[in-house]
Every structure is written in C-alpha cells, then in structure tokens.
Amino acid sequence: MQYAVILRILGILLILFSFTMIPPLVISLAYDDGSLMSFVLAFLIILSIGLLLWLPVRNNKNDLRLRDGFIIVVLFWVGLGLTGSVPLLLSSFPDLSPTDAIFESISGLTTTGATIIIGIDNLPKSILFYRHELQWLGGMGLVVLAVAVLPALGIGGLDLIASEAPGPTADRLTLRVRDTARQLWLLYGAITCAVGLALFLVGMSVFDAVTHAFTTVSTGGFSPHADSIAYFDSFPIEMVLMIGMVYSGASFSIHWHALRQGIGAYTRVSEIRWYLLLIAGAFGMLVWVNHGELEWLQSLRESVFYAVSLGSNTGFGNSDFVLWMPAAHLTLLVLMLVGGMSGSTAGGMKVLRLQVIFRYSFRELMRARHPNAVIPIRMGRTTIEEQIAAKVVGFVLLYLGLIVVGGVVLSGMGVDPVTAFSGSVSALGNVGPALGEAGPTSNFLVFPRSGRVVLMMMMALGRLELFPAMLMLVASLRGLSQMRRQREVGQLR
C-alpha cells in the first residue's frame, strides 16, 4: 500500500476543493448576505488540512496500484463530505448540527438532493449557490476534474477514473486519460451553459437559471426554493428541465461520440433505447393510473415530468406524488431503482445492468429447456462474457440486499415501513425524494439522527457504485483476519 502517495494525492485534492469556496464567497459579497466570513474561514480550514496532508509527502511520486486508486476514491469522498460541511457549520443560518451539516454536504456531493433544511427560500444566496455548486462538482466527479487539471499528479489516472467515473465502466474517449477527463468536463460545462441560458430565456432569474442548470446537468435535484419546480408553475421551464434531465441521464461518452460522428451514434447503442423506453413506459403507466385522480392535462404534465425526473434520478418535483395511487408509487420506485444510463451523472443500478439481467435471465430459461445448448448473452452485436454477467448479477444482488438492510434498520428506528424502504431506495440510488413522510414536499428530518447517519452511508455507497467501498472493506477485513492468524500463531509458539 502506497500510504505516502495516497496522502499526497488526498492533500492535493483537498487543496483543489478549498478553492471551490471562492465562487460562493463572491456571491456573498455581491448580495451582502452576511455569510462572507463562513466561506473565508472554510477556505482557510480546508486549504490548511490539504497542506498538512501534502507537505510531508510532497516529494513521493511513486505510481499507484489499482487498489490504491480505490482507497483514494473512498477516502476522498469521505473527506469531501466532512470538509464540505464546514461552511454550513460556520454559517449562522441555517443553524445546523454537525451531523446535519455533513448530511447536507454528502447529499449534495453525491447528487442525491435530499435535504434536512427548513425554510430554504430564506437561506443566504451564497449558501444556496454553494449547495448547488456541490452537486455540480459531484456530478461528474472531482477526481476526474483533478486528473484533468493536474497533469503533474504523476499517477495512473485511469485507475482513479475507473474507480470514480459515473457508471459501471469508464469509457476512454481518447488514448490519453487526461484528455478524456478534459473532454468530459468540456462537454459537461457546455451543457450546463446551454441549460442555464435556456432557463433564463424562458423566464427564470439569472440566479435561479444558474443554480437549476447546475443541478439539472448533475441530475442532483437541489432547488433554491422549498417547492422545487412547482414554485415557478411554468410548463416552458419544465420542458427545458426535462430536456436537460433526459440528456444528462444518458451517457456522456455517447454524447461526445455523437458530437464527433453525428446523431447516428445514438442509434447504435441499445442502452439508450432501453432508457427512453423505460421513461416512456413509466409515463404511460402514470397517466393510466392517475387518470381518475387528476384532471387530464394536469395528469399528462405531472406524469411526464416525474417520469423524466425520477427516470434520470434527478428528483425535481412539480407536485406531491405521495398523494397519487399506490400503483403510481410502485412505478416511481422502479424508476428510482434503475436510474439512468452508465456513463451518466445519474444514480441507481443503471439501465445497462437491467439489460444484462434481462438477457441473463432469458438465457437461463433457455438453458433450462435445452441443457446442452451453448447460448451466449448478446446485446446487439456484442457478446457479454460470463465473468462480466456474473459481476452484474452480483452487483444487483448486493444493491438490492443493501436496500433491504437499510429499510429494515430504518424501520427498527421507528420510521414507518413505506418511508423507511423508499428512503433506502432513494439514498442508495442518489435520487432525493422518497415516499411516505419523505416525499417531494417534505424533507429528511422525518428520519431520526441515527437514521440520517445510515442514509449518509447509503448515499456514499451509491455514489461509489458499491464496489470500491466494498473492496476496501473486504481488504480491511482480510488484513484483520491475517493479523489475527499471525497473533494466534505467535501464541502457539
């Protein structure tokens, strides 16, 4: 284990993160909202922590192994969640406890969008901007950003991107990993600017347009208004947001190829067809279920918005879907579970894994009928290797198992089962709203403080795609087991 190199990289990344305090600091100056010193002190504290980690090991530039890359990603997200809470702790409004400040920070960085803050509309503008900035940065991943802007890191950047980039796999768009990261961020920034400009043109203020563009492209779901998108009551605004959410819930690598090769790049990818069909199917189901409960046009408007919002795992709301029929709730839960495409900023299991599970299940049914047949798992022209299919099945089982464990633990803390299990789905899928008492017009204060700690852990696991954190845990348990065996051998001697 390259401990010195790990500390060096973590120090550099925290130093980088400290400079994200500057934009909200400028916003505080512009609006004179009283939060200036919170961001000045936060900048100095996070910068100091980064320097303390970096300075003692700054000359150690050995290459990282893949295991080291996993550990950096996990530790960095933990460190980021803790240090990201500093300006929220230092601010007099909102007045948050350390646990709640960390919850808000992790919810932002993991692009979950769940909140425990009451009176969001009255927050200082700089705090509002900072919450949305956290989601924008967390959307594509600060580790990828670091590899893009710090060529001097001198590490195997592909290891970090393979551990952190959204989706089950990391798609190398170019031969050089730093070029890949730059191109991803260039596309990410361009889409953000386009969404922000479109929102401004259809009626949002500059501040609202910028903050909502941040959380649309990151599929985060934070809003500077407690009523979320219902605050605007504008169908043109909802249309722009839906286009942005559908685009951002799809693979950024496919978007990049489409820019270079033309729109035909989309037609060659089966996952995008499944993604769009899943959203369209959910929309049809919601309209059919809600037709007796809502006025016709209202049903169409709310159904299509939530099919897109939860199908991309963004979590924006334009009404209270908790009041809908139970069948509609089940449809929304399926969307929360699946999420967007691999290589997107969305959470969830990903559409690609759903495809593999369906193909794998169909193959097993065929093998039950024809035991001696050799039936490969195909997706279009691609044959899925058995090892990859097994990993996907393992991931899905682990994902569903964690949801059950989270729901049971939260229920044991006194939370009603609907809120507990839907909150577990929402946290692990980085969605935001849940069902029951944690719906889009409520917040996660309904969970006890210990329950919010459980939800924070699930948010982080979901953002890390489970495997890096699980591999680190397995490695730690293996190390403890080896130490125990060595101790027992020593006692025998």
Side-chain angles (χ1 to χ4, degrees), residues 10-11 15 24 28 40 77 95 101 105 150 200 204-205 210 232 251 272 274 336 355 362 379 392 395 403 464 490:
L10 287 176
I15 291 170
S28 182
V40 170
W77 279 100
D95 185 15
S105 172
L150 276 186
F200 174 73
M204 277 193 182
S205 67
V210 170
F232 302 99
S251 171
I272 200 162
W274 279 61
M336 292 181 195
Q355 285 183 269
F362 178 76
M379 291 176 58
V392 170
F395 179 96
I403 287 174
L464 289 167

Side-chain angles (χ1 to χ4, degrees), residues 360-406:
Y360 184 87
S361 301
F362 178 76
R363 196 276 300 272
E364 291 306 304
L365 285 173
M366 294 298 294
R367 287 176 64 175
R369 184 176 179 184
H370 306 285
N372 297 322
V374 177
I375 307 172
I377 303 172
R378 295 188 183 278
M379 291 176 58
R381 299 178 180 177
T382 305
T383 300
I384 305 298
E385 297 178 6
E386 291 294 328
Q387 185 180 9
I388 295 175
K391 286 183 179 179
V392 170
V393 172
F395 179 96
V396 172
L397 291 175
L398 178 61
Y399 192 93
L400 296 176
L402 284 173
I403 287 174
V404 172
V405 170

Side-chain angles (χ1 to χ4, degrees), residues 9 62-66 68-70 72-73 142-148 150-165 170 172 175-181 184:
I9 301 305
N62 295 332
D63 288 336
L64 287 176
R65 301 185 184 92
L66 184 59
D68 300 327
F70 282 134
I72 284 180
V73 170
L142 282 173
V143 178
V144 176
L145 175 62
V147 175
L150 276 186
L153 281 178
I155 64 170
L158 184 60
D159 294 345
L160 291 180
I161 288 188
S163 306
E164 208 298 312
R172 294 184 69 184
L175 294 178
R176 298 183 61 196
V177 66
R178 290 194 295 271
D179 291 340
T180 297
L184 288 173

Side-chain angles (χ1 to χ4, degrees), residues 4-214:
V5 182
I6 291 172
L7 289 176
R8 174 176 168 268
I9 301 305
L10 287 176
I12 292 174
L13 294 174
L14 285 177
I15 291 170
L16 269 179
F17 181 61
S18 69
F19 286 93
T20 63
M21 303 297 129
I22 294 177
L25 187 154
V26 173
I27 295 292
S28 182
L29 278 173
Y31 285 93
D32 191 22
D33 62 7
S35 296
L36 177 64
M37 288 309 299
S38 299
F39 288 101
V40 170
L41 291 174
F43 168 74
L44 294 175
I45 290 170
I46 299 171
L47 179 63
S48 300
I49 294 172
L51 288 172
L52 286 173
L53 291 175
W54 174 73
L55 283 172
V57 292
R58 62 187 181 277
N59 295 320
N60 196 317
K61 298 182 180 180
N62 295 332
D63 288 336
L64 287 176
R65 301 185 184 92
L66 184 59
R67 180 177 59 178
D68 300 327
F70 282 134
I71 291 175
I72 284 180
V73 170
V74 173
L75 293 181
F76 180 60
W77 279 100
V78 171
L80 214 61
L82 295 174
T83 55
S85 68
V86 173
L88 299 174
L89 278 171
L90 295 175
S91 177
S92 57
F93 187 68
D95 185 15
L96 299 177
S97 67
T99 302
D100 289 346
I102 295 170
F103 180 94
E104 200 73 15
S105 172
I106 290 178
S107 178
L109 286 164
T110 58
T111 71
T112 302
T115 185
I116 44 77
I117 296 176
I118 297 175
I120 289 175
D121 298 78
N122 300 320
L123 289 177
K125 292 290 187 182
S126 56
I127 296 292
L128 288 173
F129 182 88
Y130 176 66
R131 293 171 74 242
H132 292 74
E133 182 189 35
L134 285 179
Q135 288 204 323
W136 189 76
L137 292 169
M140 186 57 71
L142 282 173
V143 178
V144 176
L145 175 62
V147 175
V149 301
L150 276 186
L153 281 178
I155 64 170
L158 184 60
D159 294 345
L160 291 180
I161 288 188
S163 306
E164 208 298 312
T169 59
D171 188 350
R172 294 184 69 184
L173 306 182
T174 64
L175 294 178
R176 298 183 61 196
V177 66
R178 290 194 295 271
D179 291 340
T180 297
R182 288 193 188 97
Q183 289 171 1
L184 288 173
W185 274 96
L186 180 63
L187 177 60
Y188 192 65
I191 296 169
T192 305
C193 292
V195 172
L197 179 60
L199 289 172
F200 174 73
L201 292 176
V202 294
M204 277 193 182
S205 67
V206 173
F207 184 84
D208 282 342
V210 170
T211 51
H212 283 96
F214 279 177

Side-chain angles (χ1 to χ4, degrees), residues 209 225 231 470:
H225 304 287
Y231 172 86
M470 292 294 111

